[in-house]
């Protein structure tokens, strides 16, 4: 697979924010270490997490469809 666009990770963006000034809404797991290290400040902690859609992409090769079905089931079990 060749990506058309590469999106930087949220953690990398938070790390850059820790060296500058600004505000961001981010996942708590991505900011946890920087908050503990006092490199960024937590302004608001929401107990209600937003939902996230998860997509499983696969090629058109029919030989792999059984494997991707197993992966899909496992992801559904984990992500509930």
């Amino acid at each position: 697979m060749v990506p058309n666009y590469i999106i930087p990770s949220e953690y990398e963006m938070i790390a850059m924010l820790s060296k500058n000034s600004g505000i961001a809404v981010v996942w708590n797991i991505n900011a946890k270490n920087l908050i503990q290290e006092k490199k960024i400040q937590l302004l608001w902690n929401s107990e209600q997490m937003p939902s996230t859609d998860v997509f499983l992409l696969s090629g058109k090769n029919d030989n792999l469809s059984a494997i991707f079905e197993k992966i899909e089931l496992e992801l559904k079990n984990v992500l509930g």
Side-chain angles (χ1 to χ4, degrees), residues 2-60:
V2 179
N4 292 333
Y5 303 99
I6 299 174
I7 300 171
S9 74
E10 186 178 63
Y11 179 82
E12 290 172 351
M13 291 187 283
I14 300 168
M16 297 292 4
L17 181 63
S18 72
K19 298 174 185 173
N20 297 289
S21 61
I23 189 167
V25 177
V26 298
W27 291 100
N28 56 356
I29 192 70
N30 292 335
K32 182 179 179 181
N33 290 340
L34 292 171
I35 292 171
Q36 290 173 345
E37 295 169 4
K38 307 277 189 220
K39 292 183 177 179
I40 61 174
Q41 180 182 3
L42 176 66
L43 298 178
W44 177 59
N45 187 18
S46 174
E47 296 297 324
Q48 182 179 2
M49 293 297 292
S51 63
T52 300
D53 294 326
V54 176
F55 298 93
L56 177 63
L57 304 174
S58 67
K60 295 180 181 180

